[in-house]
Amino acid sequence: MEVLKENEEEEQREEEELKALEISGKQYDVGRKLSVDQACTPNDVPDFDWSSIDTSQLPSSYKTNSPEEKKLLCIADNFLQQYAHLCPDREPLLLHPVNECGVEKFVSTTVRPTLLPYTELYHWEGCASFVSDYLTMELLKSPIAPPSSLYSPTTILKYQRGNCFDFSVLLCSMLIGAGYDAYCVNGYATHNICTMDETLEVCPLLRKPQEVPKQEEKKSSKYRVKPPPDLQSKFELQQEAKKEAQEKKERKEEEKETEKPKRDPLYGLRVHAWVLVLSGKREVPETFFINPFTGNSHSTTDEQFLGIESVWNHRNYWVNMQDCWNGCKDLIFDLGDSVRWEFMLLETDKPRLLLPDVEEEEELFDRDMDNVEKEEEDRRFDMPPSWVAPIQISPREFETRSPQGRKVILYKKAKLEKWAPYLNRNGLIQRLTIYADSHYTKVVEVREWFKNREDKLEMREVNKQTQLITEHFCPGHLLGLKAHIYTSTEPETERTMEFYNEARVDGLQKRVENASEMSEYFVGRDDFLYFRHVEFGKRVKKIHMAGTRTDVNPRPIVQIKECFRRNLEKPADEDVAERIFLITEERINLTYHLNDKYITASKKNFFKGVERDRKGNEIIMTPEMCITYQVGSSEADKKLFHLHKLLQKLTEEEKQLKNEVWESATEVLEILKIREDEEADIKLTVSIYDTERNEKRRQEYEAMNNLMEDDLLGQEEQDLDYLAPFLIQICNIEKMSKWQALRIKEDCLTDFKHHLTHKANIIQAHLQKEVEELQKKDQWYQENQNQLSMEDEADFLAYCSETMFRIRVLALRLQREKQMAPQKYLALEEKLRKDPRLNMHLNHP
Amino acid sequence: MSQLYNIIEPNVISEEMVQKAVEEQSQDEAGQLAKREGINFKDVTELQLSFRNILQIDNLWQFENLTKLQLDNNIIEKIEALESLVHLLWLDLSFNNIEVIEGLDTLVKLQDLSLYNNRISKIEHMDTLQDLQIFSIGKNNLATLEDVIYLRRFKNLRTLNLTGNPLCENEQYAPFTVAHLPELVYLDFKLVNDTMREAALLKYQYSTEPLKQVEALALAQQEEKQAELNELEYHKTAFVEYLNGSFLFESMYEEDAEAAKLAYLPGVDDLLQTYPSWFVSVCENLFNDGLQQYEKREAEVSDFYESLHEALTADQEQGRKIILEFENRNRRTLDEIQNVSSYDIAESKLAEYNEDILQLSETLMTLEMQTTSQLEELIKDFERNIAVLVSTFIENVQGMMAQCRDLENHHHEKLLEISVNTLEKSIKNELDKDLPDDVRMLFVDKNTIVDAVNASHNIHLVKIDSREGDILSNAHQWQASVTEKALQNEIDRNRNRVKEIIQYIDYLQEELENMETLELPE
């Protein structure tokens, strides 16, 4: 079956190729036809006229070609001719499209490796999401041919729009700058990838986290209790399971049917550009693709990528010589393999898959290469530097991201909108709307994310079907509010409030409320209380005085139930597990914890005031007032004396409890009031480090800066006295001889020299230590590579990257120190020469 | 004054006095209740017997749970009869005529002790009061400053009162005390501030330093000893104590007088050089194997108890579930019965409820039967496995011991051979001159020497046998006790459970009956 399918596909592909050949003459027509197609699909981006852009401000490298570049273009032409000769049936390569100034530029020189000063952009995820957010997507003029022009990344950034090639070149520039082994890829992909159609994808925010199968470590003990015989019919169970499976299958099939994408007439021909990141550098464990439109990573075996024509980075250009009949699944990304990848420029430092143990081989290889190089001296040519100006992104632009700060993505049955922070007055940064159907008409749920809100609101979920609103808060809200689930803000309606119990004195974690009940859940209390349930009765109708509010007349409490966890310090039958105050019946029921191995719990039921009411005088305590069931002992040996004490304590606590319940109710009202106020007047917080927004802070900062500068100036004036320690050796400064003065000067200078070398040595030592440690660790890794677990490996990689970072910093520092040392030395000498104390002795003997 | 003193009648604490004192303590309504139904002395936690002219302490043994006892302002001369008050935290014996600190050894929980205004001249007999926090011994006859050093053993002592003793007249008193009791917070009702403490510590640095060292050394020694004891205990539980070394070998030669003599024979030296090492290595093997077997047994036992615990928890949960279901079902039934208007309906409901109770009893008993049979099976398995483990262990031990015996036999043969040779030499008068006389005596005739060698051999064998016997009997004893314990536990559990169920059902039925008696008159 599989083979058949593959055959089919192959045939289909051949057919399409034929068709493509046919069409190639009328490419333009197809392109236009398709653009008409596109016009039908909703596209909220208005067309942009690239011809109107201003090129006059661009530097000269954009407008002319240097001699090297010209030579490169010749080589490229030569290469193209040979290629066309060797592979007449393949599409022409994209080698030197024109740039925005109409000058032909080789694609590799368009890549401008740049490391941008944002920590987020040091990782590929950050770069990819930035590029996908920052630029507006444009479709290729013709979906089946690479574009005839390729603009510089700077221009693309300026106008914030581009096609897949522009996206890829920009992303590639950033990734290479950040140290990744990244390449632009010119190839073929499915319709969905090419047009950034994610409507068949589940929104990443809705993807369920993969359930980690819990490893239940059940020790297969020899001692197993035999279960009692199971008397349920196995057959019936089986039948049921079968039925269910059948139903499930049917349902799934139905779903699949509806989800199946439309057949694409241009399948396999659609040109796309994306980014390839090879493993090796920056601890990338496995080669992968990045789709620049979405910023998502894809495995190299992803079925949506159908083939690769060529790849390039800032150094070289490779043409894929492997067959892509099975998509990119079987491709091998060893660019050093000249059979699979035809390179254009011969280079010594070939990028190849890093194999640590082939160094020797490599040397041999290199020697061979030398010979070859001599023969082909004329062909050896280094890629000229990029003609593109450095890529720059201002913090403002970086933060704002998308043009106008807004971006909309359609997913399967979901719509995701993004805004830049501070763009919306209410702090909204993201909104996800979930629909019941794939036509985006019936809203099921709306989720909104907020940032920088003073009331710490982080996310709000509105379920449109139940009208249930869920609000999530960051830590730091008043009274430790964590989440608020409600339908209406009226008091005494159904609602759930969750709290950060660590932040609260009473350890309240959750409070669930409706008209007649209130449940509270506690965590980590000293009295082991974890649950309290209050039932309210109907409010006794009172004559409403003018201006009385609901909280003045609290609902009468019918019953309070409290549950406690086990306090291991007390014996189980003295440790109360549950107590119920039946307030209207004047009863208190206590249930104690279960004793070890017992199945019944001790109980005490008190009836208060039964006797008191009947007679005038108070009877303190009678045996009838308390019914006791004591586990493990037949007679109730507790004396009335103790029961009385207990009852007194309980009565006291009941009073307190009523108070607490009342306080809880008031707290709810208070929170509702606060929330109402907050929603009515939304304020956004501004970080004190954000000098752009925080006006007050900026003024302060500037003032402080000025002050600091003054301080610095002052400091410099009363500079350190270099000579002081040396002058002290000589008793009388006035009577210093020339010889002494000279010696002092020499001493001072040698001391400074020592100091400098010492400093450099320290840095050097640090550097060496780091390098050695890294080597050691690396050696250890090489030796034990096979036995290492994933975790160890990850640890090792993390360690390596960290150490590499440190080594780089140290090397930089050392270099700077070395550069600066002579200057500093000279400066000191100059200073000493001018020093008045020495000066007079030196110049006037 | 003396007249007044004479008038007062000295008392002994009597039952009557105690009773009165207890009753006086609770004056409110609870007290009335208490009076009415009598007070169990075991439940009293505090007792005040001040200003009662008590001369002798007595009749306090019933107050087992007493935590606070006040005997101040009496004329007590001797601390006695307090041994049973082991829960005492606070003891006040101030303003009495006590001369010697004594009789406090059992009050290990004591935190607060007041002996203010007595006639004590030496701090002593308090070594067991490790929890002592507050100690008041002002206005006594303490004269020597060095007595303070005795208090160093109380690691929790924070408050000390010594004022009014002769030793306070020494001007070094305060710094000396502070220096020697560095943890002290309050001395003579005053806070010990840091400057004072530092100064004192500096001053007495040279006298406290050796003390500290001695204490540290003692502590270390004690710990070491404890560790050794623990180790030995561990070996004992594995039944192989004193087998990791040459203990057994040495014990073999300990009572053997002949062996020492025989050692002088030429050639025995060589023999005695190799023999012990072989023997010891066999012993060590036995020891290691014993430890391993012990670990196995322990694992087996813990495995069993883990499973048992699991089964019991499951059983408990199930029982609990049944009861909860019952309770939820019938929570409102009683109320309903009470509020039902017609007598017939009430009757029928009562009957229904009664039926339900019986049903519950039935269910619980069935569950218990099932659990019992399950556990019985479990215990049988356990018994079998333990038996197997013990028998393997015993087999191993026997094997090793046989090796020991073989070694001994071998040695014996060699020795005999040498002896005979030597005898021959001695007959030929070729014997070394420097042999001791008692050794020479052995070579009077063949019988003597052979007897001597045999006697030595026999002693050795007896030793080995007895050691083996010890191990075997210990192992069997352990096996019996372990299985017995498991069985007994199960029986106890079963009885308790059945009792509990019956009691619970009784309780329910009683409740029901109460209801009926309430119902009927109306």
Side-chain angles (χ1 to χ4, degrees), chain A residues 47 325 343 581 672:
Chain A
D47 268 341
W325 67 272
F343 54 86
F581 297 91
L672 288 178

Side-chain angles (χ1 to χ4, degrees), chain B residues 14-112:
Chain B
S14 62
E15 197 126 354
E16 201 181 325
M17 179 198 275
V18 172
Q19 183 76 39
K20 219 170 123 194
V22 171
E23 279 170 14
E24 270 172 21
Q25 274 175 21
S26 41
Q27 295 289 354
D28 54 350
E29 34 186 62
Q32 293 171 31
L33 255 181
K35 215 178 243 173
R36 207 185 315 145
E37 60 181 354
I39 298 165
N40 194 342
F41 286 159
K42 275 184 190 160
D43 298 338
V44 179
T45 55
E46 291 182 12
L47 186 61
Q48 188 176 11
L49 294 169
S50 315
F51 298 102
R52 284 171 204 267
N53 276 324
I54 298 166
L55 181 65
Q56 197 187 349
I57 309 168
D58 205 354
N59 280 317
L60 289 176
W61 55 272
Q62 295 183 73
F63 294 87
E64 281 169 9
N65 290 313
L66 211 59
T67 55
K68 183 178 173 182
L69 175 61
Q70 283 167 284
L71 288 167
D72 54 306
N73 294 291
N74 287 298
I75 48 173
I76 299 167
E77 287 176 350
K78 189 168 187 294
I79 307 172
E80 59 188 344
L82 296 175
E83 290 81 9
S84 56
L85 313 182
V86 289
H87 293 292
L88 215 54
L89 297 177
W90 181 348
L91 177 60
D92 191 349
L93 286 166
S94 53
F95 298 96
N96 279 296
N97 300 331
I98 298 164
E99 285 174 357
V100 181
I101 304 175
E102 59 190 339
L104 298 172
D105 292 344
T106 54
L107 313 183
V108 289
K109 288 189 181 172
L110 207 60
Q111 290 176 351
D112 187 337

Side-chain angles (χ1 to χ4, degrees), chain B residues 129-133 151-158 181 183-184 215-216 219:
Chain B
L129 311 184
Q130 283 301 322
D131 282 349
L132 200 64
Q133 291 171 3
L151 300 172
R152 275 178 76 86
R153 66 198 63 202
F154 305 122
K155 300 291 174 222
N156 296 319
L157 188 67
R158 295 291 177 273
L181 303 171
E183 301 286 334
L184 212 60
E215 280 166 5
L219 194 71

Side-chain angles (χ1 to χ4, degrees), chain A residues 223 226 597 600 603 630, chain B residues 300 327 374 497 500 503:
Chain A
Y223 302 107
K226 270 189 200 152
K597 288 180 193 166
T600 55
K603 278 182 195 168
Q630 187 75 25
Chain B
E300 188 73 31
E327 278 177 356
Q374 281 174 340
R497 173 57 57 81
E500 188 194 358
Q503 196 194 334

